[in-house]
Amino acid sequence: MRTIPAAIAVLMLAVLPIAAPWLQFVLTLAIAKGFAALGVAVLLRAGLISIGHAMFFAASAYGVAFLARAGINDLGLLLILSVLAGALAGAVAGSFLVRYRAIFFAMLNLAVSMVFYALCAKLYGVTGGTDGMPVPVPAVFGIVFAEPVFKSVLFYLSLALMVLVGLAVQRYLNSPLGHALSAVNTNEIRLEYLGIPVWAVLLIAYVISAALAGLGGAIAGFAIGRVVPDFAFWTASGHLVLIAVLGGIGGVPGAFIGALFLELLHSAAVTVTDSWNLIVGMTLIIVIMFMPQGVYGLFARKEASSL
Amino acid sequence: MTRPILEAKGLHVAFNGVKAADDVSIAIHDGEFLAIIGPNGSGKTTLLNICTGYIRPRSGSVLLDGHDITRLSPRAIARRGVARAFQIPQLFSAQRVIDNMMLALAATDGLWSAVRPLETATRRDEAKALLDLVGLAGDADRISSALPEGHRKLLDIAVALALKPRLLLLDEPTSGVSALERFPLMEALMSALRQRGITALFVEHDMDVVARYASRVLVWNAGNIMAQGRPDEVFSNAQVRQRVVGVA
Ligand SMILES: Nc1ncnc2c1ncn2[C@@H]1O[C@H](COP(=O)(O)OP(=O)(O)OP(=O)(O)O)[C@@H](O)[C@H]1O
Ligand SMILES: [Mg+2]
């Protein structure tokens, strides 16, 4: 059973900030990115690489900021609405993106996210431009905590959500729909001949992946207390792909392990200025060399399309 | 005679000027095991591609139970009870054999459940029974890309059967299957088809298989039907013997 090591790992995460309080923010952010990376990993199952998922991450964080500005300040409600916003954005973008494959899918996701980034940065009157928008501390079940207390509440809530949402995503991947999603990667022709609509399978996956990115974005917004256009910048999307690949294709825990690994590495490396990208690059090379199977799966040739 | 299940009328298809179907009309009736024989490249697979909506003929039409399906997608035609096994097996190679089967079984029932697992006890049993039928019971938990080509072929047939079709189109079911396994496979397949009331059309190169199992034979040559009838009639036709049987 893998339940026991997983439970021990979650418990360790839960007590870590008690020993080292500065870690709480790092871990919250790692979990937030883990959700978004999980979204990217879901699409990777179908062999689709999205280099634009930071858009949904950002869209939902902006959504929280707008809703807060409009007077909604309940944490639960804001989280639910932000996930819905991510899912809705995913449904709109996905309905035309899921027709594309391979490099076209990757590039179109990138392009759409760059348009979104530009809008966030330029529409100063609406989004505050590059200054971004504040994400105020919300109420939790009607109680407004002091900021440090809220950050702790946010961390433990994120941890709980990581477990619950992780299990739900695992269920989805084990379901017929999840298997059909992996099947898109190996043989679309057979899927069609089984009477399964590939576009619907992909659209559902896309909406789920966008909702996951949205959940991550909302948590990040609360943790940082501000949302800026950089949330949606293409390097952020690239990071999500990096995490998904680092964590290994397919596994749900992998996305969170990858995110934790990268965030911890980041906070350890900031003391050694400028070497951050070098470290990330080296890490990726090592991971790719030692887990060629995982990355190989992504680029494996499809079956011949001649019948 | 009753109305045919599947009927193709006046099909024309050409690839770069090469005629793969030149005014072809065929009909297949309930309970038939119609064999199509013909030399390599004569257009047999192309006919199956047209009948399943994978390619559109330049002219002509395909009717299923009298309804025009010429312009429907493979998906829509599959949902109307027509399943296909391919000349080159079309599998989910990265998945286990049993998962290939269970996904096919799920396609006809609970695909849209995102919370129930693909693997249920009933689905597993049903998948196992079909694998057993084609002689793959021992391979259930292997990754399908690891199977030898002949076994991939068998899995492809089992996947098509899992769709519980009314009409099954088989593209050279015994090619790649070893000579020893060929007749046991055909015996098992034919009894399964009879038992389930499945009508079948199969393209076949092995004349012994055709002679033994076909209820009717259609001889294809250069995009045309050269002869058709009972196996013994067709095989005694001098032209067929020379052009097709000799070649195969
Ligand atoms: N998609 C295609 N594009 C171009 N040419 C094609 C295509 N499909 C088939 N052809 C050509 O049409 C002709 C008939 O091909 P088809 O595969 O239908 O023959 P076949 O009778 O199934 O042959 P075999 O016994 O080798 O399987 C061949 O000359 C083939 O090269
Ligand atoms: Mg052929």
Side-chain angles (χ1 to χ4, degrees):
Chain A
M1 277 303 279
R2 293 199 323 218
T3 320
I4 293 160
I8 292 171
V10 171
L11 258 160
M12 275 173 59
L13 281 179
V15 295
L16 220 51
I18 299 169
W22 63 274
L23 268 179
Q24 184 176 284
F25 174 72
V26 176
L27 293 180
T28 308
L29 210 56
I31 293 171
K33 289 184 182 173
F35 278 118
L38 181 57
V40 173
V42 163
L43 290 174
L44 277 179
R45 289 218 146 202
L48 297 176
I49 304 171
S50 166
I51 320 178
H53 258 54
M55 169 171 82
F56 302 112
F57 190 83
S60 139
Y62 272 107
V64 169
F66 280 118
L67 290 169
R69 191 193 270 173
I72 297 176
N73 83 330
D74 179 73
L75 176 65
L77 187 60
L78 284 170
L79 279 178
I80 290 168
L81 290 175
S82 68
V83 172
L84 288 178
L88 187 69
V92 172
S95 60
F96 101 95
L97 288 171
V98 301
R99 282 183 239 161
Y100 299 90
R101 299 289 179 273
I103 194 74
F104 305 102
F105 180 83
M107 288 299 125
L108 279 171
N109 272 280
L110 175 65
V112 172
S113 77
M114 288 310 283
V115 169
F116 181 83
Y117 167 80
L119 287 176
C120 292
K122 300 293 173 205
L123 295 177
Y124 187 85
V126 188
T127 63
T130 46
D131 295 341
M133 293 171 75
V135 179
V137 172
V140 185
F141 294 120
I143 310 162
V144 183
F145 294 107
E147 192 171 329
V149 182
F150 168 71
K151 294 285 160 79
S152 291
V153 170
L154 182 67
F155 169 66
Y156 287 104
L157 178 67
S158 306
L159 202 59
L161 282 173
M162 177 180 86
V163 174
L164 293 176
V165 172
L167 287 172
V169 172
Q170 191 65 62
R171 275 204 93 113
Y172 160 66
L173 293 177
N174 286 339
S175 77
L177 266 181
H179 279 268
L181 182 64
S182 311
V184 172
N185 192 19
T186 45
N187 201 327
E188 284 192 42
I189 291 170
R190 180 42 103 181
L191 270 181
E192 285 286 328
Y193 271 94
L194 292 182
I196 297 171
V198 171
W199 67 270
V201 169
L202 287 179
L203 184 59
I204 291 168
Y206 200 92
V207 170
I208 289 174
S209 79
L212 285 168
L215 177 57
I219 292 171
F222 285 125
I224 297 169
R226 174 162 286 280
V227 48
V228 290
D230 276 354
F231 272 40
F233 198 57
W234 69 271
T235 51
S237 294
H239 253 88
L240 297 178
V241 176
L242 191 72
I243 294 170
V245 172
L246 270 179
I249 287 113
V252 169
F256 293 102
I257 293 168
L260 286 165
F261 177 76
L262 214 63
E263 282 303 307
L264 289 173
L265 194 69
H266 189 188
S267 32
V270 278
T271 46
V272 200
T273 44
D274 289 346
S275 57
W276 164 234
N277 281 321
L278 181 71
I279 291 170
V280 171
M282 295 296 286
T283 311
L284 191 64
I285 290 171
I286 291 166
V287 167
I288 288 174
M289 283 171 60
F290 285 96
M291 42 169 272
Q293 209 45 41
V295 179
Y296 169 81
L298 273 181
F299 303 103
R301 262 175 52 79
K302 306 236 177 3
E303 293 189 28
S305 63
S306 67
L307 308 182
Chain B
M1 219 169 181
T2 54
R3 185 170 70 188
I5 290 196
L6 187 80
E7 196 177 8
K9 289 198 272 197
L11 297 180
H12 284 269
V13 176
F15 299 107
N16 310 319
V18 179
K19 285 176 177 161
D22 186 14
D23 196 19
V24 167
S25 297
I26 64 159
I28 176 162
H29 294 82
D30 227 347
E32 272 195 301
F33 302 117
L34 176 61
I36 296 186
I37 61 174
N40 291 108
S42 58
K44 305 179 298 294
T45 299
T46 301
L47 175 71
L48 300 192
N49 283 342
I50 295 171
C51 291
T52 55
Y54 189 71
I55 60 175
R56 308 236 186 286
R58 202 182 61 208
S59 65
S61 57
V62 182
L63 307 179
L64 183 68
D65 295 324
H67 300 287
D68 194 331
I69 58 163
T70 325
R71 315 230 145 248
L72 297 186
S73 64
R75 167 165 38 105
I77 294 172
R79 298 192 86 86
R80 281 168 171 73
V82 180
R84 175 174 182 187
F86 295 82
Q87 186 168 356
I88 302 162
Q90 299 293 323
L91 303 173
F92 306 126
S93 297
Q95 273 88 319
R96 293 181 308 163
V97 167
I98 192 90
D99 290 333
N100 272 266
M101 294 301 297
M102 290 191 296
L103 192 52
L105 289 167
T108 56
D109 46 72
L111 181 71
W112 301 108
S113 158
V115 286
R116 274 193 299 262
L118 173 69
E119 181 160 352
T120 61
T122 29
R123 221 176 254 148
R124 201 178 161 86
D125 289 346
E126 215 176 325
K128 279 267 173 118
L130 283 169
L131 287 175
D132 202 24
L133 181 87
V134 296
L136 288 182
D139 291 323
D141 292 310
R142 293 178 71 184
I143 299 294
S144 29
S145 61
L147 296 183
E149 186 63 14
H151 286 190
R152 287 168 59 78
K153 203 73 204 194
L154 298 176
L155 176 54
D156 195 58
I157 294 171
V159 165
L161 278 173
L163 293 174
K164 304 179 187 76
R166 284 185 309 138
L167 176 63
L168 179 58
L169 311 177
L170 299 149
D171 202 343
E172 305 196 11
T174 68
S175 77
V177 176
S178 77
L180 275 178
E181 291 171 309
R182 199 163 286 181
F183 283 92
L185 166 69
M186 285 308 292
E187 285 296 333
L189 191 56
M190 295 306 281
S191 81
L193 295 182
R194 275 191 210 103
Q195 210 173 36
R196 290 154 215 235
I198 300 172
T199 304
L201 180 159
F202 63 109
V203 173
E204 184 56 68
H205 271 303
D206 186 322
M207 294 307 142
D208 294 332
V209 168
V210 174
R212 188 132 152 208
Y213 297 106
S215 58
R216 187 158 62 95
V217 182
L218 213 141
V219 186
W220 200 273
N221 190 30
N224 267 302
I225 297 168
M226 196 174 129
Q228 58 176 311
R230 286 202 320 272
D232 53 330
E233 290 168 4
V234 168
F235 288 137
S236 58
N237 178 326
Q239 215 186 352
V240 172
R241 292 184 74 87
Q242 184 204 339
R243 299 275 282 279
V244 182
V245 183
V247 171

